[in-house]
Amino acid sequence: MSDDVLKPEELVKIKHSPPLMKGLGWMYTPAEIKPGIACYGSKPANLEYVNMPNPREWSPLDEDWKLPDNWKEIILEGLRERLDRFRSLKIFMDICVRCGACADKCHFFIGGGDPKNMPVLRAELLRSVYRKEFTLAGKLLGDFAGAREMTIDVLKEWWCYFFQCTECRRCSLFCPYGIDTAEITMIGRELLNLLGLNTDWISAPVANCYRTGNHLGIQPHAYKDMLDFFTDDLEDITGIRMEPSLNRKGAEILFITPSGDVFADPGTYTCMGYMMLFHYLEGLGLDITWSTYASEGGNFGSFTSHEMAKRLNAKMYAEAKRLGVKWILGGECGHMWRVINQYMDTFNGPADFLEEPVSPITGTKFENARSTKMVHIAEFTADLIKHNKLNLDPSRNDNLKVTYHDSCNTARGMGIMEEPRYVIKNVCNNFYEMPENTIREQTFCCGSGSGLNAGENMELRMRGGLPRANAVKYVHEKHGVNMLSCICAIDRAALPPLMEYWVPEVDVSGVHELVGNALILEGEKERTTDLRSEPLPGMEDVEDV
């Protein structure tokens, strides 16, 4: 954690009363773009690689953003095109009555107090320009009708606040008109990208994924090397060598997971859990392969533009076709699944060259995947447990008191809420829910999603994650919870520093790490450690040999 971030006792001093904004009103108060809040600007090499416009060295902290002379024309024409293309955008621009139902629902407003992070006001940043340029009332009445000119200050304000939104969609849950402010943010970012105004934490993963198949730019041999390391570790823990199949043509199922599970703790332990589960199921008829080319489920293109999200989503299906599999099993990821569930059919589908997924172990037909041909591993594992196909010892997780964080994209974006809880309750004896208004459909975001999981914006992340951390703190103090489990790779990257800052007694895991701990493999040696090589309950004094 950077020394520049205020201590928790200082950061928690938040004023939620609207400031006077120097007497100018929100429409004429310039955005304050400052260290700790802003991410670095996109690097030219990353924009060039995916043919994005205006690649150049720039910083959001500079006065001059090195924009083309006709930047305003580009923005307004881009907005005009999207109003014509997306009927929902036009509706969202027109029907908001500024009732304020969403005002206190955003984690960034709750954790920071900035009124422009109220979803209604964040949307007004775009809506005010829309009124001026595309409505008669705005053209005639100006700011009296809530309309304003598109200026450099407005553009910078857009950049500042559209990159203080994790597109978690919590606000949309409370809107009586069903306005999806995340969709407005997505359009706002898409317009900014017409001028090369992205963050490097988004543009670099996009370029890497387009080049090598994953966000980290890892080559196929390095991907294989990491799985080999896990194979060695699992042999030390279980006494069994379990080597995953890679790039095998003719396999029944292709498995795709976020690269964070392969290369970043604590996701690596989740990946080891996958490997144990697949090894266990091979004896029951599972025929599965991994890919070192479609080596990323996540989709940072969804934080850039609809077209970029489409391009990155396509690689998974291209690889499924190349390998000749029947269907795809997807790992624990967030935005991967929102894109699959909400956009895949209009982007790249339906995937009619694949078959409707059927579990080779239980015979269950996953009818919800009829079009995408892609099944979430939480659904898959919950189905296995329901049909008594797994030999589990939940006491191996008795050192853990677990709560579950509903990842925004899988909960609100596709309705995966009960399946991971069902899995956890069958592999752990101690499970406790956070307060009802902080979970399931109303879950709070990790505060770092949608490409905000950088290091230079740590103050923003800690503020945005405060509501989630506060709910974790509640169950930690009431029930002794010491593990926060989730099914999203961004969460597994974002939540550890958040917990370290706000609730340092709580660790973070994926759900399938807990499955791996509890899973009893045929022929395994006496297990003395969990997947983190820490002693299992009752084995603290046993030397592993």
Side-chain angles (χ1 to χ4, degrees):
M1 186 69 65
S2 170
D3 293 335
D4 296 334
V5 180
L6 295 171
K7 299 298 181 185
E9 56 271 19
E10 292 296 322
L11 201 65
V12 80
K13 296 177 180 177
I14 306 161
K15 296 180 180 179
H16 290 102
S17 56
L20 295 177
M21 295 187 176
K22 303 175 183 177
L24 298 175
W26 73 266
M27 292 179 70
Y28 303 101
T29 304
E32 183 181 8
I33 300 174
K34 61 182 182 180
I37 297 296
C39 294
Y40 298 142
S42 47
K43 298 297 182 185
N46 294 322
L47 296 184
E48 288 170 351
Y49 196 86
V50 290
N51 299 314
M52 296 292 286
N54 198 26
R56 80 278 184 215
E57 291 286 350
W58 74 287
S59 168
L61 302 179
D62 293 342
E63 183 68 25
D64 182 6
W65 283 13
K66 303 177 183 177
L67 302 175
D69 292 338
N70 64 334
W71 69 266
K72 182 176 178 179
E73 179 184 339
I74 292 172
I75 286 287
L76 295 180
E77 182 55 35
L79 180 54
R80 184 189 310 278
E81 177 187 336
R82 284 154 183 80
L83 288 166
D84 291 341
R85 182 181 177 190
F86 301 115
R87 184 169 179 266
S88 59
L89 176 63
K90 180 72 163 59
I91 292 172
F92 293 162
M93 291 293 97
D94 287 333
I95 66 173
C96 178
V97 295
R98 289 177 275 190
C99 68
C102 66
D104 60 345
K105 305 306 186 294
C106 176
H107 47 280
F108 283 118
F109 174 66
I110 296 172
D114 188 335
K116 289 183 183 178
N117 274 326
M118 294 179 182
V120 59
L121 192 44
R122 188 187 293 117
E124 280 295 302
L125 306 182
L126 178 61
R127 194 176 282 120
S128 58
V129 173
Y130 159 78
R131 291 195 188 101
K132 180 65 177 178
E133 300 294 336
F134 299 98
T135 71
L136 180 60
K139 290 176 180 178
L140 294 177
L141 301 176
D143 58 3
F144 185 76
R148 60 177 178 167
E149 296 281 351
M150 185 72 212
T151 66
I152 285 287
D153 281 345
V154 169
L155 183 73
K156 291 184 176 182
E157 184 182 55
W158 281 13
W159 190 91
C160 181
Y161 290 99
F162 291 146
F163 288 104
Q164 288 188 56
C165 171
T166 52
E167 302 174 6
C168 80
R169 303 175 69 244
R170 189 173 193 265
C171 52
S172 66
L173 190 69
F174 296 91
C175 177
Y177 289 91
I179 296 172
D180 191 339
T181 307
E183 294 283 349
I184 296 174
T185 292
M186 292 169 74
I187 292 295
R189 289 189 181 187
E190 197 163 310
L191 294 173
L192 292 168
N193 272 278
L194 298 177
L195 303 176
L197 295 175
N198 207 327
T199 73
D200 202 54
W201 194 254
I202 294 175
S203 61
V206 164
N208 287 339
C209 201
Y210 196 65
R211 182 173 64 253
T212 69
N214 61 72
H215 293 155
L216 302 176
I218 301 299
Q219 299 289 338
H221 64 276
Y223 193 93
K224 179 183 182 300
D225 286 346
M226 284 304 298
L227 294 184
D228 287 344
F229 291 145
F230 297 155
T231 297
D232 293 340
D233 288 344
L234 286 170
E235 186 174 19
D236 290 340
I237 293 168
T238 68
I240 298 174
R241 189 145 188 96
M242 46 193 88
E243 299 183 4
S245 162
L246 296 172
N247 305 321
R248 179 165 54 86
K249 290 187 176 182
E252 180 180 1
I253 302 167
L254 170 62
F255 178 63
I256 300 177
T257 196
S259 58
D261 285 351
V262 183
F263 294 100
D265 292 345
T268 52
Y269 309 118
T270 298
C271 190
M272 293 166 70
Y274 301 151
M275 292 172 64
M276 293 179 68
L277 178 65
F278 298 159
H279 176 82
Y280 182 100
L281 295 175
E282 284 174 3
L284 300 178
L286 184 72
D287 181 19
I288 194 166
T289 192
W290 305 49
S291 172
T292 60
Y293 300 101
S295 50
E296 179 66 68
N299 195 324
F300 270 59
S302 61
F303 313 143
T304 304
S305 69
H306 290 82
E307 179 59 33
M308 192 61 68
K310 175 181 177 178
R311 290 165 71 179
L312 298 188
N313 182 72
K315 72 179 184 303
M316 299 190 295
Y317 290 90
E319 183 69 346
K321 181 176 288 188
R322 185 183 77 86
L323 295 177
V325 300
K326 293 181 178 179
W327 56 278
I328 304 172
L329 181 65
E332 297 183 11
C333 186
H335 41 82
M336 161 190 184
W337 282 105
R338 183 175 175 195
V339 170
I340 290 294
N341 190 63
Q342 295 188 321
Y343 301 108
M344 187 275 175
D345 274 351
T346 51
F347 279 173
N348 307 109
D352 290 338
F353 65 93
L354 296 172
E355 297 180 8
E356 186 174 340
V358 176
S359 172
I361 314 301
T362 68
T364 296
K365 180 180 288 188
F366 294 97
E367 295 181 357
N368 58 315
R370 182 181 295 115
S371 180
T372 65
K373 311 300 193 294
M374 195 160 175
V375 175
H376 194 292
I377 196 166
E379 299 175 274
F380 183 72
T381 303
D383 177 64
L384 292 168
I385 294 172
K386 183 176 178 61
H387 287 86
N388 298 312
K389 297 299 183 181
L390 300 182
N391 189 6
L392 301 167
D393 179 4
S395 70
R396 288 177 174 175
N397 286 312
D398 277 355
N399 57 320
L400 305 177
K401 293 186 176 182
V402 183
T403 192
Y404 176 69
H405 164 69
D406 289 276
S407 303
C408 304
N409 286 306
T410 50
R412 279 188 289 268
M414 67 179 299
I416 295 283
M417 288 174 274
E418 301 311 320
E419 294 88 343
R421 287 177 166 83
Y422 180 78
V423 173
I424 292 173
K425 290 175 182 178
N426 278 275
V427 300
C428 297
N429 289 320
N430 305 303
F431 177 75
Y432 303 93
E433 290 280 19
M434 288 180 276
E436 278 298 316
N437 63 340
T438 71
I439 58 174
R440 293 187 171 87
E441 292 93 341
Q442 297 189 42
T443 185
F444 276 115
C445 181
C446 67
S448 301
S450 192
L452 301 188
N453 190 26
E456 64 271 17
N457 64 333
M458 195 60 75
E459 179 182 334
L460 176 70
R461 290 175 54 188
M462 296 303 102
R463 289 189 182 280
L466 174 58
R468 169 46 74 225
N470 195 43
V472 175
K473 185 177 179 66
Y474 173 82
V475 288
H476 167 67
E477 293 179 346
K478 184 173 182 178
H479 302 292
V481 162
N482 59 6
M483 182 62 77
L484 176 61
S485 192
C486 60
I487 54 170
C488 172
I490 289 292
D491 286 332
R492 285 191 288 279
L495 290 170
L498 186 72
M499 293 299 102
E500 180 185 354
Y501 186 79
W502 291 113
V503 200
E505 303 85 358
V506 177
D507 213 335
V508 177
S509 78
V511 169
H512 279 77
E513 176 185 345
L514 306 178
V515 172
N517 287 340
L519 194 61
I520 301 174
L521 301 172
E522 183 177 353
E524 70 177 18
K525 70 178 185 180
E526 183 181 14
R527 297 265 295 275
T528 59
T529 68
D530 61 17
L531 296 187
R532 303 189 183 201
S533 296
E534 297 175 354
L536 290 172
M539 295 292 182
E540 291 81 3
D541 298 325
V542 176
E543 291 188 11
D544 191 22
V545 293

